[in-house]
Amino acid sequence: MSNSTLNIIKIGGNVIDDDIQLEAFLEKFAAIPGKKILVHGGGKIATRIAAKLDIEAKMIDGRRVTDESMLDVVTMVYAGLTNKKIVAKLQKYQCDAIGLSGADGNVIKSVKRPVREIDYGFVGDILADSVNTLAIKKFLDAGFTPVFSAITHNGVGQLLNTNADTIASALSTCLSRLYETSLIYCFEKNGVLADISDDNSVIESITAKKFEDYKQKGIISDGMIPKLENAFDAINKGVKSVYIGNAANLHLFQQQKFGTCLVNK
């Protein structure tokens, strides 16, 4: 493994939807030294544009159903409008970014999610060997900062809408074979909270053992459970550490004071 470090940062949709927050976040992201990757979703922009085109946006349990028409919209918005706006703003801060979907350079392949109780349409699931780490390494070694949209492909010409959290996790686990990798999830909360009603009740560090204890006591519940399960899965597969915190505080990451740190001890 190379001695180089790599930070993979995923930015949530609520920040993308707010131009002021996004600008502030990207300035902080650009200031992080060394090799880094940004992963983003699409926020609510795709839903707004779909409405203008008289295309109905369908959501089930917070997950987007992507039929053929919606796939066109999310591809235009995620891999086009949103991705290129982010790349252009990063150039403003002297961060030489390059916007990518999974199809570009064949960097991330996925498979269409099988239909079980629900047909999610053209949604991609990433397999363990689906990330082209050597291609991504070429971008990083050339001095570029890859910016990944939430669009992948199946290798035979079909684009697929793919969860951005999943893309960030897959990138971190695969690239941890080449770099000492940290994964940072940025969203609107200050971290994992001991009291959901108190934004200052951040749990600074969580081990797998503590996570099980917090679940049993109900301190960690609902949507935070799968997020942390995915995070510990990444740690078990070689990722050095996972951070979860507020996008506005990303500048504190270099001082290791950012949000909640998940570690394997």
Side-chain angles (χ1 to χ4, degrees), residues 135-265:
I136 297 170
K137 184 177 185 297
K138 289 179 181 177
F139 288 123
L140 293 168
D141 288 348
F144 292 113
T145 294
V147 177
F148 282 92
S149 63
I151 300 293
T152 59
H153 75 131
N154 69 352
V156 289
Q158 179 63 58
L159 294 170
L160 294 164
N161 184 15
T162 305
N163 181 274
D165 281 352
T166 304
I167 289 175
S169 179
L171 286 169
S172 67
T173 55
C174 291
L175 286 164
S176 67
R177 301 166 195 159
L178 302 176
Y179 305 96
E180 189 177 274
T181 302
S182 293
L183 173 61
I184 303 104
Y185 286 108
C186 291
F187 67 150
E188 65 278 4
K189 296 290 185 182
N190 289 334
V192 181
L193 304 177
D195 179 356
I196 194 67
S197 62
D198 181 2
D199 285 341
N200 294 317
S201 64
V202 175
I203 303 171
E204 293 184 0
S205 178
I206 301 177
T207 62
K209 187 174 183 297
K210 281 186 179 179
F211 176 43
E212 293 303 320
D213 184 47
Y214 289 145
K215 278 196 297 183
Q216 289 180 7
K217 293 178 178 176
I219 294 172
I220 294 175
S221 60
D222 302 326
M224 189 57 72
I225 290 176
K227 186 180 285 289
L228 295 192
E229 286 175 342
N230 287 335
F232 278 111
D233 182 59
I235 289 173
N236 291 334
K237 291 177 179 175
V239 175
K240 178 189 175 186
S241 54
V242 179
Y243 293 83
I244 299 174
N246 195 316
N249 297 330
L250 184 61
H251 59 288
L252 299 176
F253 173 68
Q254 291 169 254
Q255 289 82 46
Q256 296 184 327
K257 297 178 180 178
F258 176 76
T260 301
C261 179
L262 278 58
V263 293
N264 188 9
K265 291 183 179 178

Side-chain angles (χ1 to χ4, degrees), residues 21-43:
Q21 286 188 57
L22 180 60
E23 184 86 24
F25 164 80
L26 293 175
E27 184 175 7
K28 294 179 176 73
F29 173 84
I32 293 175
K35 293 180 171 64
K36 54 186 178 282
I37 291 173
L38 181 61
V39 181
H40 67 85

